[in-house]
Amino acid sequence: MDLPVEKWKLYAKQKWTSLEPALKEKLCPALSLRDCFLLFSPLFQSEDEEYLYSLARNYCVKKDPSMVLLYKAEGNERFRKKEYRTAGMLYSKALAHTEVSTPERAVCYANRSAALFHLDQFEVCLEDIGRALEKGCSHGLYPKIMLRKAECLLSLGRPQEAAEALCSLESKMSAEQSLAADSSQMLLNKLGQLKAKACQGSSFVRPPALPSRTQKGLEPWEENNWISCASAAVRLSVSPSKGRYLAAARDILPGETLVREEAFVSVLCPGEILLLRGSADTTLDEPSDNEDLNCHHCLRRLLASVPCQGCSYAKYCSQTCAQLAWKNYHRIECSLGGLLLTLGVFCHVAFRAILVAGFAEVNTLTRQSCGDDLGEADVAKVSASKEQDLASVPGCDVDGRYRSSYRAVFNLLPHTEKQSPEFLFLCSLSIAALCQRLEDAHLAALVCGKSISESQEGAKAAELKNLGEAMLKHMLQLRCNAQAVTTLRESGSGDKPVASSEQVRLAVGLFPVVSLLNHSCDPNTSVTFKSTTAEVRALQPIAQGQEILHCYGPHKCRMGVAERRKELLSQYFFECQCLPCRSERGSSSQRSASQHGVFRCPACQAPLQGEGMLHCSREACKVQISEDRLQHQLHELQQLTKTALELLDNSQPDRSVKLLLRCRLEARRLLSPEHLMVGEMEDHLAQAYVTLGKWQEAAGHLHSSIQVVEAHYGPSSIEVGQELFKLAQVLFNGVARSKNCKRCKPASKNHWVPPLRQEGDCCHRETYTPCETTK
C-alpha cells in the first residue's frame, strides 16, 4: 500500500541483483540524495517503462460509459428492494464514470436523490436535486425531482421554500403543455397534497438556530508565537541526542490540546481489493472501500460524492473540494492515476507535496541544499545555541518561527545513510519512472509552472532532476515521518440496533509540527484525527520543561521490550531509551506482558508459571500441566466465541447469549482475570444484551470489561476511552428508552468498536509516525 505494488518491487529487486558490483559500490553512506538520484535514474530503461505501464493498466482510472449503465441498473434493482444505502453507493459509482454536463449525470444525480430521501438525508438530497437540475434533467424527471424537493423542504420545516418550489413547477407545467401531458395523475395528486401541506405549514415559525459551539470554541487556546498550529504551552528545543523536539513551556494539565495541525499534504489510501485485483476486475457487488467512502481532498466521509471531471477514481464531498483539488494538484495527477496507484502511497505523497508547494519553492530549497542531506550532525550544530535564537534550526524561517510549511517538510530527516541500498534503488527507480512519465506526457511544463521550448531542453532536464531529488527525499522521509490518518468506520449493513465499528487506516499525511514529537513506549500524549487535522492532547500532567512524547506504535502495554526494539530499529532506525524500555531491559525476565501469567491453575485458580510444562505459583499446590494443552483449550474457546458472534450477527441474540455465558465461565476458569479474552467476553455479552434491549445487563458487563482493559492498557489509553464511550451510549439509550414505549427504537445507534485486540496486536502497528529522535 505505502510502497509500490509487489510485482514492481520484485522487478526492481531483480534489476538490483543484476547490477554490476562496481555500480553498487558507488552507493556509499556518504552519497548525497542528488548523487543517488543521478546514479540510478539513468538505469530506468524503455523495457522497465513498458513493464511498469503494463502494471499501471491494471489500475485504469479512465471513465467507462458502459459502467454507467451497469452501476445504474444495479442501483435501480437495489432501490426496488429498498436497499437504499447500497443503491446510493451504486449511483455514486455510476456518476464517477459519467462525463460533465451529460444527461446520464443528471439521471444519476436524480436517482441518488431518491435514495437519499428514503434515508432521511434531506439536506444532501436537496444538493443532489440541485445538481440534477443544473445538469439539465429530462422533462420526465423534472416533476418528480421538484416534488421531491418540496417534500425535503417540508421535512426540514421550510414550508415557504416548499411552496415556492411547487409554484415554480406549476408555472413550468402551465408554460409547457408537453410537461403537463407527460405528468401522471398520481404526480398531479401529489402536487395538490404537497401544496396543501405547504399552506398549512406556512404559519410555522422555526426556532432560531442555536449558536455553534465547536470543540475549538469550547477550549481555551492560546496560539504559539513561534510554532504554528501549536499551543503556547509548548516550546521548540534542540539537543544533540534528541534533535528537535517539543517540551512543556509551562505545567500542562491532562486533556489540554497541545497541537492542532492541518496536514501539509495527505493522500487517501486505496482499498486493498482495488490493489489486489485491479480496476479491470471490479464487480458490481464489491464492498466499498476508502476510495468510494471518503473525500479524496478533505478525507470527510462521503454520503453523496461529486465525481472528478477527468477520471473515475477521485471523488469529493463537494464541488468546493473538487475545485480545490483540481487547482492545487489533481489537474496534474488526473491522467497519472493508474501509475500513482502502482507506485504506492509514499510516491504519491512525495509527488503531491511538490505540487502543493509549487516548483519555485521546491527549486529554491533544492538548490540551497546543494545536494547535501540534512543529517544528525546538522541538527546538533545548533543545539548549543540559545533557545531564543531559532533561526539556525533546520526547518525554521529566518525569523526563527517554525511553521507548518514546505520548508519544515523539506527539512525533515530522510535518514538516507540508514536506508538499505536496495530500498534506495527501489525509491530512485520509482521516482525516475514518474519523472519520465511527466516528460512523456508533456506535464513537466505544468509542474514547473511555465512553458519550456525545444531550445531549453537542458533547462527542462535540470528542473526535472531537481523535482526528482525532492521527491526522492520526501519518499525516504515518509518511512519515518509520515502519519497514518485513522478513523472509526461502521461495518455491516447499518440496519441493526448495534453498529459494529472498526479502526481503519484512511490516509497518509505529512504534519511537520506533529513530526517534532519524539517517541516513548509510555507516552504522555495521544494523537487523533478529524478530517485532515491532527490533534495532540496531553494524557497526563506534564511538568514545565518535560519533553512531550508520542508513541509511534510499539507500546509497553501491547508489546514486550524485545518486540518493541525490533520494530523501532527496523522502521525508525533507533533504539528506544524511554524509562519502560530501560527498566524492562534491566529486568531478569524478558517475557512480554501478554505471555506472563496467562493461565490459571485448574485446582486452586492461582497463576501458572514456567514454560513448556507449567506449574502452579502456590508452593502448596503441586499441579503441573502442559502449556500446549492449555493453548489448545484456548483455541477451542476462541472458536466457540466466534460461533456465538456469528449467531449474534445472524439475529439470534438469545442463543448467542447462552453460548457466550458458557464461554465466559470457561474463560474465567482457564485464564487470568486480566487476560484480554476475559474482557472480550464481557464486551461481547454487553453487545448481545444491547441487541436484546437489556440495557442494565449490558452496562454491567461493560463495567467488567473496562476493569480488564484498564488493567492491561492503563486508565488513559484509547482502549479505555472506547469502552467508556460504549458505556455512555448504553446508559443514555437505557434511560431514553425507559421513558418511551418498549417498541420505540433506541435514541441513538450504539457504535461498537471491536472490543479488544489479541495479545501482541497493536492498534497503531501500521501508523507511520514521526521519527525525529535523531533530527
Side-chain angles (χ1 to χ4, degrees), residues 177-242:
Q177 294 300 319
S178 59
L179 185 63
D182 291 341
S183 302
S184 66
Q185 188 59 45
M186 185 181 297
L187 287 177
L188 295 173
N189 291 340
K190 192 169 187 178
L191 173 61
Q193 293 169 4
L194 290 175
K195 282 182 65 179
K197 284 184 180 180
C199 291
Q200 291 172 4
S202 60
S203 58
F204 172 78
V205 179
R206 297 184 70 190
L210 293 174
S212 175
R213 299 179 69 198
T214 62
Q215 187 68 28
K216 187 174 180 179
L218 289 171
E219 291 183 13
W221 174 268
E222 185 183 352
E223 190 79 26
N224 196 302
N225 292 328
W226 296 97
I227 312 169
S228 68
C229 311
S231 160
V234 305
R235 60 179 172 83
L236 176 62
S237 298
V238 188
S239 78
S241 59
K242 297 178 180 179

Side-chain angles (χ1 to χ4, degrees), residues 212-279:
S212 175
R213 299 179 69 198
T214 62
Q215 187 68 28
K216 187 174 180 179
L218 289 171
E219 291 183 13
W221 174 268
E222 185 183 352
E223 190 79 26
N224 196 302
N225 292 328
W226 296 97
I227 312 169
S228 68
C229 311
S231 160
V234 305
R235 60 179 172 83
L236 176 62
S237 298
V238 188
S239 78
S241 59
K242 297 178 180 179
R244 295 165 290 185
Y245 66 94
L246 294 180
R250 58 166 174 78
D251 290 344
I252 295 171
L253 297 174
E256 278 195 60
T257 301
L258 306 180
V259 177
R260 188 184 289 122
E261 182 182 18
E262 184 83 12
F264 176 77
V265 67
S266 63
V267 170
L268 194 74
C269 295
E272 292 184 7
I273 294 175
L274 174 65
L275 292 180
L276 289 173
R277 295 173 53 184
S279 57

